[in-house]
Amino acid sequence: WQGTDGVNNPCPDGYRLPTELEWEEEVNSWSSEDANGAYGSVLKLPMAGYRKFDNGVVEREGTYGSYLSSTINSAKRAKHLYFYNTFATSQVSIIRSQGESIRCIKD
């Protein structure tokens, strides 16, 4: 979460998580701001669901896409891209221990 050199960076060397603004720009490039736009984009983002922080169960697979950003807005929360069949946004935060999908970008 602290960029390419951060101790919590889940990406390979030279890569990092996108910021909230970068996810917002990505959504704006889609043909539609929803799951069809996400999968139809060059990134081919699927609705992979998420792994719950309290019990590890994967939920909403196939109905909800959620991708972590590097934008932190509190000690326990970070912004994330999420989308459904009819909606997409990167301006909402999620508990950072939630098992979100990630997409690494070259720094």
Side-chain angles (χ1 to χ4, degrees):
W1 290 304
Q2 303 91 2
T4 58
D5 297 325
V7 296
N8 290 332
N9 181 8
C11 300
D13 287 343
Y15 290 79
R16 62 177 174 79
L17 293 177
T19 65
E20 172 192 10
L21 180 58
E22 288 169 328
W23 274 131
E24 186 176 324
E25 290 170 354
E26 173 61 24
V27 170
N28 290 336
S29 76
W30 297 350
S31 60
S32 58
E33 292 185 8
D34 56 20
N36 288 330
Y39 193 73
S41 76
V42 68
L43 297 178
K44 299 286 186 222
L45 300 172
M47 292 192 291
Y50 57 89
R51 186 176 300 276
K52 288 187 69 176
F53 70 92
D54 57 352
N55 63 13
V57 173
V58 175
E59 290 194 346
R60 304 190 73 185
E61 186 177 10
T63 62
Y64 179 89
S66 185
Y67 292 81
L68 193 60
S69 84
S70 61
T71 305
I72 297 168
N73 63 336
S74 77
K76 294 183 180 182
R77 301 184 76 80
K79 297 290 183 139
H80 70 132
L81 165 66
Y82 79 97
F83 51 88
Y84 298 89
N85 285 327
T86 59
F87 181 75
T89 187
S90 63
Q91 300 177 4
V92 177
S93 64
I94 189 86
I95 296 171
R96 288 168 38 185
S97 58
Q98 193 92 311
E100 306 277 312
S101 297
I102 64 168
R103 276 297 172 110
C104 298
I105 60 173
K106 191 168 179 72
D107 203 25

